[in-house]
Amino acid sequence: MLKRLIWLAMDYPKSALLLALLITLVFGIQFPRIHIDTDPENMLPADQADRVLYKRAKQEFGIHDLIMLGITDETGMFRTEALARVARVVERLLGIDGVITADLISLTTTDDVRASGGLLKVQPVMKGVPEQAADLEALRIAISDNPLFQDKLASRDGSALAIYIPIERKDQAARIGEEVRIILDEELAPSQRYHLAGLPIAEDSFGIEMFRQMGIVSPASGGLLFVLLWLVFRKLTLVLPVMVVAMFTVVWGMGLLIGMGYTVHIMSSMIPVFLMPIAVLDSVHVLSDFYDRYPQLQDRRRALRESIEALYTPMLYTSVTSAAGFASLMLADIPPVQVFGAFVAFGILAAFLLTIIIVPASIVLIREDRLQAVIGYMDARDGWFGGMLRGFGRFAFSRAVPVALAAALILGLGFLGVSRTVVNDNPVAWFPEDHELRVADRVMNRRFGGTYMAYLLIEGEQPGAIKRPEVMTFLEGLQHILEADPKVGKTSSLADVVKQVSYVVHDADPQYRRIPERVDELAQYLFLYETAGGVGDLDNLVDYGYRVANIWVQMRTGDNLDMARVADRVAEHLRTEPPPPSIHVRWSGLTYINKVWQDQMVVGMAKAVLGGFVAVFVLMTLLFRSLSLGFLSMLPLTFAIILSYGLAAFMGKEYDMPMAVCSALTLGLSIDFAIHFVQRYRSNLARLGGDLGAANDVVFGETARAIVRNALVIAVGFSPMVLSPLGPYQTVGVFFALLMVFSALTALGLLPGLLKLTHGRLWQAKTT
């Protein structure tokens, strides 16, 4: 049926091209509805336990996504002029749409506990801007004397102040950040500097930059791809259909995704980058074969028909197996991976359909004399390129044993590298070193307790459970364990409030900065604070019924490896010193959610890719009707995966989210070379009566040229991605090149030797 479609496209080329264009326009009109989402919370299943807990914690404790603003002045921030500027900044921040004013944390909006006239007084840390030297010093001492504020609101050396800006939604972070910058540029003195940090603004800024890069890198890669294809085929009217297939494929895939209401996250933003090279593969094979046949036949229709007849089966096999491999990603229990796998699979099948319609129809529309003027004189068997490939083929065939041994050794080194893989990620690290967010990250985490927020929830079974002294002491002990880790800069909890109240009511006697041993004394301190303070002062630290408490954990790094280590440290502590009866401990917070997301991603992608690998192997075995050929066809895929990740590990590249995404890329690209190579070898062996050497020479003609052309065009064509300012795009660009090199070398360098070593027995499969 599909072949009939090809012949119809050749008979009615203009109608076929017009139909393809109209369908593409239907998909294209969906693009204005695009919505970007980089929130890792949304990348977990809706019913995933940690996501549910995080959502509940945000509701119970009034926890919001935070933008952390740091203002620095090397001459010192505890000066009247500097503090007045900060006060004006805070006042204007409260007027920004999307900022939750009631929970903004700063010197002028956060309450402090003090004794006044024998009474406990709770008031803002800086009720008014101090003008006298004594008042300025008193403010500095008040901050340094309160564990809740030191390294949180002010740096230890007094050269920096921090403001924590809670926002309604994380997708507003970049916009709010821009408004904050405008205020700061207007209010701060020339000697003062500011920095905006935190995961919300980093992730939202990445989403905006990701959208921008989709509009820059993909067209740039497509443009370079076009130039390279023109250099290879030297005929604009032959190259244009290839690019049209690639662009139409991207529009079909992304248009369907957007039209069905899915958001574009970091994985799905890579779909255009994945589909474009995959869409080009079959087109290049068709053009390469056509170029080889046309000089002898001098009839474009006949040459095209013979090329389609020869390539139809491997092209179909490639599309079906690649689509099945990507579709297997839907088995992963990770929504972004499922969406990515489904729409790449659809795009691959769309690319096959567009290739067999657009390329033949376009060639038929080219006048015979113009084709002859460009390629009529060419003889595919001549030229240095063809001679070099035939020489390489003879070497691989004649040196089968040493080549196989070298391949085994290299594969072993690849496995060694893979065994050294370190799993880690940090969204802030996706930006270049000199990006303002990276600079802010370094400055803020050096001066303050940390910009990466995590929360440790202490949950009782009954209301009032947190008011027990042993539970409060347990909170204090957990804080000591947490702060013993060098990557944890600061922790805050209800225990700190209780100790500060005890310290203040006992005339600032240091020995009373402790948790009271009696229930009534503890309850009295909490009552004093609640009655003296404002409504909701403790909302971020304990729920209304005192059943659940929250330890704020500020980390100086967003690396998931560090978050995992801190979580393990707490787990080990709980094993040796269990919590009080009926008390449970659980992690939450955006930094922890990132760690959970990566765990799910790594495990989920590993399972999905393994499932895809098995699915492709089964399909190859069924399609070739040979277990041995199925095994051989998997070798380029195996080498590409192991060598790419092994080399990355040897070079110190950590396995992060972009690396996990790239693992799926092998399913679509690496199998192509193997299918074309095995299928053409197999058909030539049958045609040449089992003459191994002759079959090898024939395959290292058009088939080898097409493989090398594809590898070079795609590897070089997508090199602009390496120039992107975003780490994930750079990673994908490098992996394109590595996958092409390793896949092509395995197909062309190893498979001929295996043909000889097996005396062709593995290749003598049925062709009917």
Side-chain angles (χ1 to χ4, degrees), residues 325-372:
F326 276 101
S328 68
L329 298 181
M330 296 173 66
L331 300 175
D333 191 25
I334 309 172
V337 175
Q338 295 170 338
V339 171
F340 175 80
F343 287 98
V344 172
F346 167 77
I348 291 172
L349 296 178
F352 173 70
L353 182 62
L354 288 167
T355 298
I356 63 176
I357 292 176
I358 292 177
V359 174
S362 300
I363 293 176
V364 168
L365 289 174
I366 302 174
R367 283 167 38 190
E368 200 83 57
D369 59 328
R370 291 188 177 180
L371 273 177
Q372 292 174 354

Side-chain angles (χ1 to χ4, degrees), residues 638-660:
T638 303
F639 271 76
I641 292 176
I642 299 303
L643 296 186
S644 296
Y645 283 91
L647 180 61
F650 277 125
M651 296 179 66
K653 171 65 177 174
E654 294 175 328
Y655 185 92
D656 53 14
M657 193 281 298
M659 291 275 285

Side-chain angles (χ1 to χ4, degrees), residues 5 146 197 266 402 439 454 554 658 663 676 728:
L5 189 63
N146 191 330
I266 185 171
V439 174
Q554 291 180 245
S663 63
H676 281 277

Side-chain angles (χ1 to χ4, degrees), residues 110-179:
T110 301
D111 287 339
D112 187 17
V113 183
R114 300 178 187 177
S116 177
L119 299 174
L120 193 68
K121 193 173 184 180
V122 178
Q123 64 182 32
V125 180
M126 188 175 77
K127 194 171 183 179
V129 177
E131 297 182 358
Q132 302 300 319
D135 295 332
L136 290 168
E137 180 63 15
L139 175 63
R140 189 190 63 78
I141 293 174
I143 293 173
S144 63
D145 196 38
N146 191 330
L148 285 166
F149 303 149
Q150 190 176 49
D151 292 331
K152 185 174 184 178
L153 292 180
S155 62
R156 287 179 181 268
D157 62 3
S159 65
L161 296 178
I163 301 171
Y164 298 81
I165 308 171
I167 58 178
E168 293 176 353
R169 299 196 318 270
K170 195 172 70 174
D171 59 4
Q172 298 177 329
R175 188 264 302 168
I176 291 174
E178 286 303 315
E179 294 189 36

Side-chain angles (χ1 to χ4, degrees), residues 531-603:
T531 54
V535 176
D537 276 358
L538 298 178
D539 283 355
N540 294 153
L541 300 177
V542 67
D543 69 339
Y544 181 77
Y546 283 86
R547 188 182 69 84
V548 186
N550 176 31
I551 300 178
W552 280 47
V553 183
Q554 291 180 245
M555 297 189 61
R556 290 194 165 102
T557 170
D559 287 5
N560 292 333
L561 203 61
D562 293 321
M563 183 70 251
R565 187 187 63 253
V566 171
D568 290 341
R569 178 189 287 267
V570 171
E572 180 61 30
H573 172 71
L574 295 178
R575 280 192 291 270
T576 56
E577 298 184 31
S582 304
I583 295 296
H584 309 281
V585 180
R586 297 179 68 180
W587 279 99
S588 189
L590 189 55
T591 306
Y592 182 74
I593 287 293
N594 271 336
K595 179 258 181 190
V596 172
W597 149 243
Q598 187 193 56
D599 289 344
Q600 296 265 353
M601 183 74 171
V602 171
V603 175

Side-chain angles (χ1 to χ4, degrees), residues 465-481:
I466 303 302
K467 290 184 177 181
R468 291 153 47 193
E470 68 270 21
V471 175
M472 204 67 67
T473 302
F474 175 67
L475 262 69
E476 182 185 33
L478 282 176
Q479 289 182 256
H480 291 323
I481 294 298

